[in-house]
Amino acid sequence: LAVAAACAGERAAGVAGRYLKEWYGLRVAQGRALIVMLAWVEHPGATQLMLSIGGRFRTKSLQEEATKQAAELAERKGWTIGELADRTIPSAGFDETGVLSLSYGDREFAARLLPDLGVELRSPEDKVIKALPAPRQTDDESAARAAKKNLAAAKKELKAVGQLQAE
């Protein structure tokens, strides 16, 4: 698990979260080990999962372990638990103004974060669009593919953040 904590990054949270939801009452020792691993993963999603387990989880011993690990992580970083929770909310690629730039090469689209954690797409002319268009001949195809991939990843991460914050 130490190797997973060092190498898995953002992928660790999803796998650990699914395991903990499925085996919470039957494999407590493994659950504790996963929580310790989450405390060492340098990704906001892992920290948010650990904090949500510590705040409210079915198995009391896993809840206590998550609270303990969150306190130790906050101490390592020199923060309070509240500061840890605030500073580790994943941004999903959006900047501090809530905008994600999506480049097609010469053209630049923008995804804006809405208050309900939805995403509004805007064309280079600043008009609302439903989806990213197919690339033109003058566009960079690889940049367009990367932009679509970034948008899909951002939406997926926003959905996960919304679920964790609701919990």
Side-chain angles (χ1 to χ4, degrees):
L1 288 175
V3 172
C7 300
E10 63 190 58
R11 297 180 309 243
V15 175
R18 284 190 301 275
Y19 186 91
L20 289 167
K21 277 186 178 181
E22 185 174 343
W23 299 102
Y24 65 91
L26 301 173
R27 298 188 176 164
V28 177
Q30 290 87 345
R32 275 196 203 108
L34 284 174
I35 292 168
V36 171
M37 185 257 323
L38 287 172
W40 289 95
V41 172
E42 288 294 328
H43 189 271
T47 304
Q48 283 293 308
L49 175 60
M50 185 179 54
L51 289 170
S52 71
I53 292 167
R56 210 173 114 203
F57 198 72
R58 299 173 184 146
T59 308
K60 187 74 171 165
S61 63
L62 293 181
Q63 190 178 29
E64 290 168 353
E65 183 67 34
T67 302
K68 175 184 160 208
Q69 292 300 323
E72 289 177 8
L73 176 59
E75 185 178 323
R76 282 194 304 270
K77 294 194 177 273
W79 300 337
T80 66
I81 294 286
E83 290 172 331
L84 178 69
D86 288 343
R87 293 179 182 182
T88 58
I89 295 174
S91 67
F94 290 86
D95 65 14
E96 58 275 349
T97 62
V99 176
L100 173 64
S101 295
L102 303 164
S103 175
Y104 269 38
D106 292 338
R107 293 192 298 164
E108 189 85 19
F109 294 88
R112 298 190 191 280
L113 185 60
L114 300 174
D116 65 351
L117 295 183
V119 176
E120 177 183 76
L121 288 174
R122 292 197 170 258
S123 69
E125 297 80 32
D126 204 35
K127 294 185 180 182
V128 176
I129 56 176
K130 298 229 182 246
L132 288 173
R136 296 179 184 163
Q137 288 182 347
T138 58
D139 292 332
D140 180 355
E141 281 193 43
S142 62
R145 276 194 305 274
K148 288 182 180 188
K149 186 177 176 181
N150 288 344
L151 179 61
K155 286 181 177 181
K156 183 178 177 181
E157 191 168 347
L158 280 175
K159 183 179 178 182
V161 167
Q163 289 173 340
L164 286 172
Q165 291 299 311
E167 288 176 7

